[in-house]
Amino acid sequence: MILTVLLAYIGSVTSGLLFNIKGRKLIFAGISGLVGFAVYTLMYQHTEHNIISIFIGAIAVGLYSETAARLLKAPATVFSIPGILPLVPGIAAYEMMQFIVSNEPSAATGKMIETAEGSGAIAFGIMIIAAVFRFISRIKKRKQMDTANKKAAQ
């Protein structure tokens, strides 16, 4: 497990280089992939269900990315995009293409569904966390505005 998590970190860092992430942010982008893949691996060991594990891993990436974005004053996508790459169901997509080429449509359809489920789990996990963080920030802004309006009224 340690080797695969370290490889997820390296994969996230190298993808961060492709997106021109520099300095400390690149290290934190790599940690995003490490965290997401570690959570995915732990969940898969407990549930043996790939899609649920990907979903929980994507939630971990989303939480980490939104938190790192606020701490490092950068967009959350700087951390979430490299972080989700280790979770992408690439082997299922590859196997789907192999089944298509070898004229096995029922097996290809199964792999296509697996790929779509994994991709949807990633998108939904990131989307849920982004929505929660936006909701919380709106509540904080409203409280600040109410406090400022009360002070101005006095």
Side-chain angles (χ1 to χ4, degrees), residues 121-132:
I122 291 170
F124 195 57
I126 296 289
M127 182 185 69
I128 286 173
I129 298 303
V132 167

Side-chain angles (χ1 to χ4, degrees), residues 23-50:
R24 274 182 29 180
K25 292 175 186 161
L26 182 62
I27 294 168
F28 284 94
I31 294 172
S32 178
L34 183 143
V35 167
F37 198 74
V39 169
Y40 161 79
T41 303
L42 290 172
M43 284 302 299
Y44 190 75
Q45 288 174 353
H46 290 293
T47 64
E48 294 186 11
H49 193 278
N50 195 33

Side-chain angles (χ1 to χ4, degrees), residues 58-71 74 76 125-141:
I59 286 176
V61 169
L63 284 170
Y64 177 85
S65 299
E66 293 289 340
T67 304
R70 280 150 181 77
L71 294 174
I126 296 289
M127 182 185 69
I128 286 173
I129 298 303
V132 167
F133 270 78
R134 281 196 187 108
F135 182 72
I136 290 170
S137 67
R138 283 185 181 163
I139 289 173
K140 285 182 180 180
K141 284 182 183 177

Side-chain angles (χ1 to χ4, degrees), residues 97-108:
M97 294 306 293
Q98 274 189 322
F99 288 132
I100 289 171
V101 169
S102 61
N103 200 22
E104 297 179 46
S106 62

Side-chain angles (χ1 to χ4, degrees), residues 66-123:
E66 293 289 340
T67 304
R70 280 150 181 77
L71 294 174
L72 298 173
K73 297 184 184 352
T77 54
V78 167
F79 308 105
S80 64
I81 291 175
I84 63 170
L85 287 179
L87 300 175
V88 172
I91 191 70
Y94 174 78
E95 289 173 346
M96 176 192 67
M97 294 306 293
Q98 274 189 322
F99 288 132
I100 289 171
V101 169
S102 61
N103 200 22
E104 297 179 46
S106 62
T109 303
K111 287 298 176 178
M112 180 185 70
I113 291 169
E114 184 181 333
T115 302
E117 287 173 338
S119 302
I122 291 170

